[in-house]
Amino acid sequence: MKVSLAQHGGLAAGINLNRPPKVIDSAALDEPNAAELKGLVAAATAVPTSAASSGKARDEMSYTITIQDQGRETVLSQSDTTMSVDFAKLLAWLRRYPKN
């Protein structure tokens, strides 16, 4: 499974504009981290996603997490003001994990 994270908008929009998404391949992870990532992905994809942006915050960030697993691709898009708890947990894990 490969999981990528792209960030858009916010105060640092110009800085992040041309940065490639962060990509994590679970095959390159040790077993505990791979299992944790799999659980976080399962939880985040189990809940229906809301709109990518609520428009309530002027400089809110939006996030796109793309999961590629066994030939299927799932795309989750949420923002600072619309993200679910499970999406936030996956996002936090992806941000903490060192870039490959």
Side-chain angles (χ1 to χ4, degrees), residues 49-55 60-64 76-83:
T49 60
S50 56
S53 175
S54 69
E60 74 181 329
M61 293 284 295
S62 61
Y63 310 92
T64 302
L76 306 174
S77 294
Q78 296 188 21
S79 71
D80 287 333
T81 58
T82 64
M83 74 176 69

Side-chain angles (χ1 to χ4, degrees), residues 1-96:
M1 171 175 51
K2 287 187 181 181
V3 181
S4 65
L5 167 64
Q7 301 180 94
H8 315 280
L11 294 173
I15 296 170
N16 292 325
L17 191 59
N18 292 318
R19 285 193 178 167
K22 180 177 188 177
V23 179
I24 297 175
D25 188 346
S26 65
L29 302 176
D30 59 24
E31 186 57 37
N33 281 317
E36 183 178 11
L37 178 59
K38 184 177 181 178
L40 290 168
V41 165
T45 56
V47 235
T49 60
S50 56
S53 175
S54 69
K56 293 180 182 178
R58 279 189 82 200
D59 292 318
E60 74 181 329
M61 293 284 295
S62 61
Y63 310 92
T64 302
I65 297 175
T66 305
I67 301 112
Q68 296 174 325
D69 191 23
Q70 298 178 358
R72 290 181 301 169
E73 183 173 277
T74 304
V75 178
L76 306 174
S77 294
Q78 296 188 21
S79 71
D80 287 333
T81 58
T82 64
M83 74 176 69
S84 68
V85 171
D86 291 318
F87 184 93
K89 288 178 183 177
L90 175 58
L91 176 62
W93 191 93
L94 294 170
R95 284 177 156 173
R96 275 193 324 266

